[in-house]
Amino acid sequence: MSRNLDNAFWSAARKHLIRYGGAFEPAIIERAEGSFVYDADSRRILDFTSGQMSALLGHGHPRIVATVRRQVETVAHLFSGMLSRPVVELAERLAALAPGLDRALLLSTGAESNEAAIRMAKLVTGKHEIVAFSKSWHGMTGVAAAATYSAGRKGYGPAAVGSIAIPTPNSFRPRFKKADGSLDWAAELDDAFALVDSQSTGSLAAFIAEPILSSGGMLELPPGYLAALKQKCRERSMLLILDEAQTGVGRTGDMFAFQRDGITPDILTLSKTIGAGLPLAAVMTTAEIEETAHERGFLFYTTHVSDPLPAAVGLTVLDVVEEEHLVERARHLGDKLFDGLSGLKQRYECIGDVRGRGLMLGVEIVKSGLGREPDHELGAKIAAEAFRRGLSMNIVKLPGMGGVFRIAPPLTISEQELDLGLRTISDAIEAVLSTGAGRVGMAAE
């Protein structure tokens, strides 16, 4: 009998854990190494989503392990008013990577960094309205949750006053179309801000956006969109906050995703990738904004602000990314993975779209027919079959999004491991379709 069927383990889990999302995976994970996690049967499972989109360098990277051991023996945590060398060094390194964003605040989680960014934007502008995308995910706390529209809004009472959403541009399902049927994002953005202006009470503080909306279905903002969005903000004296929790630190083939578009946000938030699986987040902004915030009494005093242990880990992450040329590697392997997934799209009619950048790609599962409607059921079955075959892929199960696989393997993954993942996806689709689980057949070759 499989050790994953440990009745005592699952009974204790059911009895004592608060469930915080969907169902747990049907395996007990005992350890992780490189691009794989290993269950109670010592079966290896290829991790195509880097843990919770965070293990940028894979699991148990020896440099990270060595840093944790060294730093925890030196100093791991301090009174929040004390500074250590890793904190100042990491702030300096980050500033060099994002010219113009010269000041940094080091925190623990993505939601926390977005809380701080929005709090700062409100204080600096003296206004309170926050605009976000309709498919956004910025966290599960306070104003971060108020700016999250992809899920979790019902049943919790009023969101923060001044929360406004605009439609998310979707090239696969465009709302505004050009004559050739492609997305007319400029017209959509104009329309969206006309709606913002009609709802605003004259207190627009900031727009917060993900360059690629991950939980929203791996929806990438088209080239040119961020520059136009920043201009819309400038016209209204709003700040632009970019949430690069998942896209930052090389994931998309640039150090930060916004760099492709030749703009710099007013405030940048980082998490997930900067800690490579450990709890580290950052808020970055201009010297001018930080000075104004400080003069007005900016307060974000938390237990783990400026902790030396995660800061030391962040420095090691940046070292490894630079020394192993992982930004360029993400671009190269991302092209290979995109081509492989696009080949599967040509073979299987149930793959409606492949999208994204670098090693952050989405694969949308759809029903057959002209409507190409999302197929939640088929996507879930493919995910389950892939997991059974030794591949973990995170699938967006939010209403209205359909089965969108979020594929974001570690930047250290090998080409052979990428090929293994592609074969497993293909085998899983074949197996599910052959059982008649879906109504989708093979596309014409």
Side-chain angles (χ1 to χ4, degrees):
M1 185 179 75
S2 169
R3 291 183 176 89
N4 290 304
L5 301 177
D6 184 336
N7 288 332
F9 177 91
W10 292 111
S11 177
R14 286 190 296 271
K15 185 175 181 180
H16 298 295
L17 293 182
I18 293 175
R19 288 163 287 184
Y20 45 84
F24 296 112
E25 297 287 357
I28 302 172
I29 304 303
E30 301 287 8
R31 66 184 184 92
E33 181 180 355
S35 301
F36 295 89
V37 299
Y38 294 81
D39 70 7
D41 293 328
S42 297
R43 182 179 71 112
R44 70 177 195 170
I45 301 167
L46 182 59
D47 185 359
F48 247 32
T49 47
S50 304
Q52 189 60 41
M53 318 292 282
S54 302
L56 192 77
L57 308 182
H59 299 281
H61 192 286
R63 295 277 295 278
I64 299 296
V65 173
T67 296
V68 171
R69 284 176 176 162
R70 181 187 70 249
Q71 192 63 43
V72 80
E73 290 176 348
T74 307
V75 55
H77 165 73
L78 292 169
F79 165 64
S80 297
M82 291 179 175
L83 289 177
S84 61
R85 293 188 185 279
V87 168
V88 175
E89 290 172 11
L90 181 55
E92 186 177 27
R93 289 280 297 278
L94 288 172
L97 293 171
L101 301 176
D102 298 322
R103 306 282 171 89
L105 172 66
L106 302 184
L107 300 164
S108 299
T109 69
E112 190 179 31
S113 64
N114 288 330
E115 292 282 341
I118 291 172
R119 187 176 178 86
M120 182 180 289
K122 289 181 176 181
L123 183 65
V124 168
T125 63
K127 298 183 287 187
H128 73 276
E129 292 171 335
I130 304 297
V131 187
F133 286 119
S134 59
K135 302 293 184 184
S136 61
W137 183 293
H138 297 293
M140 288 284 95
T141 61
V143 295
T148 294
Y149 292 92
S150 60
R153 296 191 70 83
K154 293 179 173 60
Y156 303 99
V161 173
S163 300
I164 299 173
I166 70 169
T168 304
N170 186 336
S171 298
F172 185 57
R173 292 189 177 85
R175 296 173 64 252
F176 286 71
K177 299 179 182 179
K178 296 179 181 178
D180 62 1
S182 64
L183 171 67
D184 189 345
W185 60 260
E188 184 174 53
L189 186 62
D190 287 341
D191 182 73
F193 267 86
L195 292 174
V196 168
D197 293 338
S198 69
Q199 295 174 76
S200 173
T201 61
S203 190
L204 290 166
F207 194 110
I208 183 167
E210 305 156 85
I212 299 177
L213 287 85
S214 176
S215 293
M218 289 299 223
L219 300 174
E220 181 182 14
L221 300 183
Y225 193 100
L226 275 180
L229 179 58
K230 186 168 183 178
Q231 181 59 32
K232 294 290 187 187
C233 290
R234 285 285 174 269
E235 292 167 358
R236 293 159 179 80
S237 299
M238 302 168 65
L239 299 184
L240 176 61
I241 303 169
L242 289 186
D243 176 354
E244 293 224 26
Q246 297 185 26
T247 55
V249 196
R251 166 73 62 195
T252 65
D254 291 292
M255 179 56 70
F256 305 112
F258 71 79
Q259 292 171 330
R260 181 202 68 177
D261 293 78
I263 64 106
T264 300
D266 299 295
I267 303 176
L268 173 67
T269 63
L270 303 172
S271 61
K272 292 184 182 287
T273 56
I274 186 63
L278 283 92
L280 173 64
V283 180
M284 299 179 65
T285 192
T286 65
E288 179 184 6
I289 289 174
E290 193 277 335
E291 293 285 354
T292 301
H294 178 68
E295 290 168 4
R296 296 183 182 181
F298 179 67
L299 181 65
F300 208 85
Y301 210 95
T302 75
T303 302
H304 294 287
V305 65
S306 294
D307 263 356
L309 173 58
V313 169
L315 281 168
T316 300
V317 170
L318 295 182
D319 285 343
V320 173
V321 167
E322 179 182 4
E323 293 167 16
E324 298 186 9
H325 307 288
L326 295 185
V327 177
E328 296 83 357
R329 183 176 177 79
R331 195 178 305 130
H332 165 69
L333 292 184
D335 289 343
K336 175 182 173 65
L337 182 58
F338 189 93
D339 289 344
L341 293 170
S342 297
L344 295 181
K345 177 178 179 290
Q346 295 301 313
R347 185 176 180 188
Y348 299 109
E349 189 182 2
C350 63
I351 298 180
D353 194 30
V354 176
R355 51 184 178 253
R357 260 190 287 163
L359 284 175
M360 186 171 179
L361 301 177
V363 175
E364 182 162 352
I365 304 301
V366 299
K367 298 177 181 179
S368 59
L370 294 177
R372 311 294 276 160
E373 297 175 9
D375 198 327
H376 303 259
E377 180 183 356
L378 183 59
K381 288 178 177 177
I382 293 171
E385 181 63 24
F387 191 81
R388 192 183 71 79
R389 291 170 176 266
L391 176 67
S392 174
M393 294 190 296
N394 183 290
I395 186 168
V396 178
K397 299 178 182 178
L398 304 177
M401 288 313 304
V404 180
F405 289 105
R406 298 191 295 171
I407 300 177
L411 271 54
T412 52
I413 193 170
S414 70
E415 296 200 23
Q416 293 75 19
E417 289 165 347
L418 278 184
D419 289 337
L420 172 62
L422 287 167
R423 288 197 304 273
T424 307
I425 293 172
S426 178
D427 291 345
I429 293 173
E430 289 273 7
V432 170
L433 297 182
S434 67
T435 63
R439 294 168 300 285
V440 185
M442 303 279 274
E445 298 258 301

